[in-house]
mmCIF file of all heavy atoms in Angstrom:
data_model
loop_
_atom_site.group_PDB
_atom_site.id
_atom_site.type_symbol
_atom_site.label_atom_id
_atom_site.label_comp_id
_atom_site.label_asym_id
_atom_site.label_seq_id
_atom_site.Cartn_x
_atom_site.Cartn_y
_atom_site.Cartn_z
ATOM 1 N N VAL A 641 54.794 117.305 -68.326
ATOM 2 C CA VAL A 641 55.277 116.165 -69.473
ATOM 3 C C VAL A 641 55.467 116.725 -70.821
ATOM 4 O O VAL A 641 54.755 117.667 -71.109
ATOM 5 C CB VAL A 641 54.170 115.081 -69.426
ATOM 6 C CG1 VAL A 641 54.014 114.291 -68.052
ATOM 7 C CG2 VAL A 641 52.825 115.662 -69.799
ATOM 8 N N CYS A 642 56.266 116.263 -71.630
ATOM 9 C CA CYS A 642 56.463 116.712 -72.930
ATOM 10 C C CYS A 642 57.068 115.525 -73.702
ATOM 11 O O CYS A 642 57.364 114.527 -73.135
ATOM 12 C CB CYS A 642 57.370 117.912 -73.061
ATOM 13 S SG CYS A 642 59.028 117.679 -72.235
ATOM 14 N N GLU A 643 57.142 115.594 -74.988
ATOM 15 C CA GLU A 643 57.568 114.562 -75.962
ATOM 16 C C GLU A 643 58.635 114.951 -76.803
ATOM 17 O O GLU A 643 58.737 116.129 -77.228
ATOM 18 C CB GLU A 643 56.433 113.925 -76.570
ATOM 19 C CG GLU A 643 55.628 114.833 -77.431
ATOM 20 C CD GLU A 643 54.431 114.239 -78.139
ATOM 21 O OE1 GLU A 643 53.723 113.465 -77.319
ATOM 22 O OE2 GLU A 643 54.100 114.594 -79.304
ATOM 23 N N TYR A 644 59.486 113.956 -77.218
ATOM 24 C CA TYR A 644 60.421 114.253 -78.224
ATOM 25 C C TYR A 644 60.687 112.977 -79.140
ATOM 26 O O TYR A 644 60.043 111.864 -78.783
ATOM 27 C CB TYR A 644 61.890 114.521 -77.432
ATOM 28 C CG TYR A 644 62.443 113.371 -76.783
ATOM 29 C CD1 TYR A 644 63.326 112.587 -77.289
ATOM 30 C CD2 TYR A 644 61.977 113.055 -75.480
ATOM 31 C CE1 TYR A 644 63.827 111.320 -76.638
ATOM 32 C CE2 TYR A 644 62.455 111.985 -74.697
ATOM 33 C CZ TYR A 644 63.341 111.194 -75.328
ATOM 34 O OH TYR A 644 63.957 110.140 -74.653
ATOM 35 N N CYS A 645 61.322 113.215 -80.242
ATOM 36 C CA CYS A 645 61.356 112.053 -81.300
ATOM 37 C C CYS A 645 62.775 111.636 -81.469
ATOM 38 O O CYS A 645 63.625 112.447 -81.609
ATOM 39 C CB CYS A 645 60.799 112.521 -82.648
ATOM 40 S SG CYS A 645 60.652 111.137 -83.829
ATOM 41 N N ASP A 646 63.015 110.431 -81.257
ATOM 42 C CA ASP A 646 64.355 109.747 -81.268
ATOM 43 C C ASP A 646 64.364 108.811 -82.290
ATOM 44 O O ASP A 646 63.900 107.641 -82.254
ATOM 45 C CB ASP A 646 64.709 109.091 -79.965
ATOM 46 C CG ASP A 646 66.144 108.511 -79.955
ATOM 47 O OD1 ASP A 646 66.954 108.871 -80.919
ATOM 48 O OD2 ASP A 646 66.490 107.757 -78.955
ATOM 49 N N ASN A 647 64.912 109.311 -83.447
ATOM 50 C CA ASN A 647 64.923 108.286 -84.666
ATOM 51 C C ASN A 647 63.563 107.691 -85.070
ATOM 52 O O ASN A 647 63.500 106.523 -85.370
ATOM 53 C CB ASN A 647 66.023 107.217 -84.577
ATOM 54 C CG ASN A 647 67.427 107.719 -84.389
ATOM 55 O OD1 ASN A 647 67.739 108.605 -85.128
ATOM 56 N ND2 ASN A 647 68.248 107.018 -83.514
ATOM 57 N N GLY A 648 62.478 108.644 -84.999
ATOM 58 C CA GLY A 648 61.184 108.131 -85.413
ATOM 59 C C GLY A 648 60.482 107.491 -84.316
ATOM 60 O O GLY A 648 59.277 107.244 -84.455
ATOM 61 N N ASN A 649 61.059 107.368 -83.089
ATOM 62 C CA ASN A 649 60.332 106.828 -81.895
ATOM 63 C C ASN A 649 60.059 107.936 -80.947
ATOM 64 O O ASN A 649 60.973 108.432 -80.385
ATOM 65 C CB ASN A 649 61.273 105.594 -81.374
ATOM 66 C CG ASN A 649 60.476 104.949 -80.212
ATOM 67 O OD1 ASN A 649 59.295 104.964 -80.144
ATOM 68 N ND2 ASN A 649 61.359 104.543 -79.208
ATOM 69 N N TRP A 650 58.808 108.101 -80.749
ATOM 70 C CA TRP A 650 58.471 109.143 -79.750
ATOM 71 C C TRP A 650 58.442 108.707 -78.385
ATOM 72 O O TRP A 650 58.007 107.693 -78.015
ATOM 73 C CB TRP A 650 56.966 109.640 -80.016
ATOM 74 C CG TRP A 650 56.850 110.391 -81.330
ATOM 75 C CD1 TRP A 650 56.669 110.053 -82.582
ATOM 76 C CD2 TRP A 650 57.180 111.825 -81.389
ATOM 77 N NE1 TRP A 650 56.688 111.076 -83.371
ATOM 78 C CE2 TRP A 650 57.079 112.277 -82.855
ATOM 79 C CE3 TRP A 650 57.414 112.814 -80.496
ATOM 80 C CZ2 TRP A 650 57.182 113.454 -83.267
ATOM 81 C CZ3 TRP A 650 57.594 114.218 -81.034
ATOM 82 C CH2 TRP A 650 57.536 114.578 -82.312
ATOM 83 N N GLN A 651 59.202 109.503 -77.492
ATOM 84 C CA GLN A 651 59.352 109.190 -76.145
ATOM 85 C C GLN A 651 58.818 110.422 -75.397
ATOM 86 O O GLN A 651 58.646 111.480 -75.806
ATOM 87 C CB GLN A 651 60.834 109.013 -75.788
ATOM 88 C CG GLN A 651 61.555 107.781 -76.601
ATOM 89 C CD GLN A 651 61.035 106.487 -75.967
ATOM 90 O OE1 GLN A 651 61.188 106.198 -74.809
ATOM 91 N NE2 GLN A 651 60.259 105.717 -76.806
ATOM 92 N N TYR A 652 58.834 110.169 -74.021
ATOM 93 C CA TYR A 652 58.271 111.197 -73.168
ATOM 94 C C TYR A 652 59.205 111.538 -71.896
ATOM 95 O O TYR A 652 59.916 110.648 -71.495
ATOM 96 C CB TYR A 652 56.974 110.728 -72.548
ATOM 97 C CG TYR A 652 56.035 110.289 -73.737
ATOM 98 C CD1 TYR A 652 55.834 108.839 -73.911
ATOM 99 C CD2 TYR A 652 55.241 111.149 -74.344
ATOM 100 C CE1 TYR A 652 55.054 108.522 -75.051
ATOM 101 C CE2 TYR A 652 54.422 110.869 -75.489
ATOM 102 C CZ TYR A 652 54.262 109.332 -75.722
ATOM 103 O OH TYR A 652 53.441 109.031 -76.778
ATOM 104 N N LEU A 653 59.193 112.722 -71.550
ATOM 105 C CA LEU A 653 59.969 113.308 -70.404
ATOM 106 C C LEU A 653 59.027 113.626 -69.279
ATOM 107 O O LEU A 653 57.866 114.269 -69.590
ATOM 108 C CB LEU A 653 60.721 114.519 -70.669
ATOM 109 C CG LEU A 653 61.850 114.407 -71.769
ATOM 110 C CD1 LEU A 653 62.526 115.591 -72.055
ATOM 111 C CD2 LEU A 653 62.942 113.325 -71.202
#
Side-chain angles (χ1 to χ4, degrees):
V641 297
C642 57
E643 60 185 35
Y644 65 95
C645 188
D646 181 14
N647 292 324
N649 184 28
W650 287 91
Q651 298 289 298
Y652 307 98
L653 294 176

